[in-house]
Amino acid sequence: MNLFRQLLSDDLPRSRMLSALLLLTFFGLAAAPFITSGARPLNTAATICIYIILVASYDLLLGYTGIVSFAHTMFFGIGAYGVGLALSSGTPGWGIIVIGVLLALILTVALALMIGLFALRVRAIFYSMITLAVASSFAVLASQLSDLTGGEDGITFRVPEILTPGFQLFENDLWGRTIDGKIITYYIVFSVCVLLFLFLLRVVNSPFGRVLQAIRENEFRAEALGYRTVVYRVLANCLAALLAALAGALMALWLRYVGPKTMLSFEVMTDILLIVVIGGMGTLYGAVIGAALFIIAQNYLKNLMAQGAESLVDFPILAQIFHPDRWMLWLGVLFILSVYFFPTGIVGKLRSHKLK
């Protein structure tokens, strides 16, 4: 029990229902290759893992520090393009991947530091507009440099042989599943995401994290206590950017493709914001629950509605209402309902019911 508390940095769920949901999510993702079949469920599970880190790193800014940034997808894209460009430029190998990730992280820190030092001194709304302008410019630049980035089409690349679907780790199946390169890639993504999430838990429950929360609640008082709030905000910005870049690198490794629509579009940013609101701001567990629910709905709501529309064929009006082409409408309705019934997010609502 003490080891478990240490792993979670003494930040326990504090709710039986939340504990059950988190355990279900963890074991579901851990066993995903063996309890599902086909490429789509595994892709959904990998996307959930990556988005948990992407959203949790953004919550470090928004939920814990009170910084509203629209440049998070830019750092996500930098990490993805770092891996993609490195692997597409030569023979795929682990050394090339490490070099690509390191170069992406260096560029990420440089941009996050520059944006932070120049923009975090202004008021929140102006900082948000500056980050939006920088992120939009970077997305346009990635689209225009077609000789380097592949333009709007993006680039596909090869990965080390051990990560290819044709690679087989064992001659025989394990629990009814062939352990190929895709499974190995999935567990690399899963393991790295678990480690990064535990690291984030350590950060937000450290003295550094407490100062960030103090800045969020009252920046003037935090500064009056002797804390250099601009320095802490810049550090939080850089740390969140680094984690977003690592999430992007994992996404590129998983998809074996990078492109502006997948990595740099404003749609990714809106997805992050929606997940933060659904799960709950100021709690990393909200990223876990929110990402799982949102990605599953995004991938399977359309299919569920198609089945519903077929069963309602005798009721034309209802069949039209639940037509699969209207899945985005119903996703929006579900989001509005979640905000109405869970104004502090799902995790905030569940944590209000203390363990007895």
Side-chain angles (χ1 to χ4, degrees), residues 36-45 48 292-307 324 327 331:
T36 62
S37 60
R40 188 173 186 181
L42 194 61
N43 183 64
T44 301
I48 290 172
L293 292 176
F294 185 83
I295 299 300
I296 289 172
Q298 201 176 48
N299 281 274
Y300 291 101
L301 183 60
K302 189 174 182 179
N303 290 348
L304 187 63
M305 289 181 62
Q307 295 176 4
W327 75 275
L331 188 62

Side-chain angles (χ1 to χ4, degrees), residues 114-136:
M114 183 178 66
I115 294 172
L117 289 175
F118 283 101
L120 279 174
R121 297 177 182 273
V122 301
R123 291 188 177 181
I125 184 64
F126 298 113
Y127 174 76
S128 301
M129 292 301 100
I130 291 170
T131 57
L132 179 60
V134 172
S136 300

Side-chain angles (χ1 to χ4, degrees), residues 134-152:
V134 172
S136 300
S137 301
F138 193 87
V140 171
L141 186 65
S143 299
Q144 295 298 320
L145 296 176
S146 56
D147 291 338
L148 179 65
T149 64
E152 292 290 342

Side-chain angles (χ1 to χ4, degrees), residues 7 74 81 86 88 108 129 149 178 187 217 238 283 289 328:
L7 280 174
M74 177 181 73
Y81 272 98
S88 64
T108 295
M129 292 301 100
T149 64
T178 302
Y187 278 111
E217 296 300 327
C238 291
T283 166
I289 303 301
M328 283 292 289

Side-chain angles (χ1 to χ4, degrees), residues 303-316 318-320 322-324:
N303 290 348
L304 187 63
M305 289 181 62
Q307 295 176 4
E310 289 178 4
S311 64
L312 294 170
V313 68
D314 295 331
F315 306 94
L318 290 177
Q320 285 297 317
F322 290 100
H323 194 277

Side-chain angles (χ1 to χ4, degrees), residues 161-168 179-186:
E161 184 183 358
I162 193 175
L163 303 181
T164 58
F167 178 83
Q168 190 168 332
I179 308 301
D180 56 16
K182 203 66 175 174
I183 303 295
I184 295 171
T185 307
Y186 174 79

Side-chain angles (χ1 to χ4, degrees), residues 23-44:
L23 287 173
L24 179 64
T25 303
F26 174 77
F27 287 112
L29 292 174
F34 300 101
I35 60 177
T36 62
S37 60
R40 188 173 186 181
L42 194 61
N43 183 64
T44 301

